[in-house]
Amino acid sequence: MLDADPRLQRAVDLFNAGEWYSCHDSFEELWHETQGPDRPVLQGLLQIAVAHLHLERGNQRGATVLLGEGLGRLARSGPEALGLDLDHLRQASAARLACLQVGGDPAALPLPSLRRWPVDCPVSL
């Protein structure tokens, strides 16, 4: 089961630390090996990570596109997948996307984070 794979926990930890490039690589490795309903979730997570890498590098257009694509992929999943609270991630990512779409700087908004589902569980998978 993918949510028990230690590589997923590493990817989550990298995401939450804002290590966007390494996080993308970790999610991408899992994505290449995964089929079924978890595959688009992994792709959405890695697209949101790369969007934030684009933001760090000043590429707001690239960040806007990838945030939108990542959210689109996650929209097909329920409130949780891979044992993660996707609603929490979608809310933070959507707020940052909306800011970018009106030409704003999302730096004042909280970074998205990944946390366990249900919400009461600790962050570790």
Side-chain angles (χ1 to χ4, degrees):
M1 202 164 167
L2 190 56
D3 60 348
D5 190 318
R7 296 174 300 166
L8 179 62
Q9 179 61 54
R10 174 160 169 69
V12 167
D13 290 343
L14 291 166
F15 189 101
N16 289 339
E19 296 290 332
W20 308 118
Y21 189 85
S22 297
C23 168
H24 163 269
D25 286 346
S26 296
F27 278 128
E28 189 172 52
E29 179 182 344
L30 292 167
W31 176 74
H32 282 296
E33 299 172 7
T34 301
Q35 298 301 317
D38 289 338
R39 188 173 169 86
V41 175
L42 289 168
Q43 189 173 11
L45 295 173
L46 69 91
Q47 286 176 313
I48 290 171
V50 174
H52 286 86
L53 181 62
H54 281 302
L55 278 175
E56 282 183 353
R57 295 179 176 175
N59 180 359
Q60 289 194 334
R61 185 179 184 323
T64 303
V65 169
L66 283 172
L67 270 175
E69 288 180 3
L71 282 167
R73 284 194 171 67
L74 295 180
R76 299 176 198 133
S77 298
E80 58 84 21
L82 302 175
L84 300 171
D85 179 0
L86 293 185
D87 281 345
H88 173 73
L89 174 65
R90 286 188 283 238
Q91 289 170 359
S93 297
R96 293 174 71 81
L97 176 59
C99 181
L100 284 166
Q101 288 172 327
V102 297
D105 180 3
L109 297 172
L111 285 171
S113 63
L114 295 170
R115 61 186 189 189
R116 286 286 287 162
W117 178 270
V119 178
D120 297 333
C121 290
V123 173
S124 297
L125 294 175

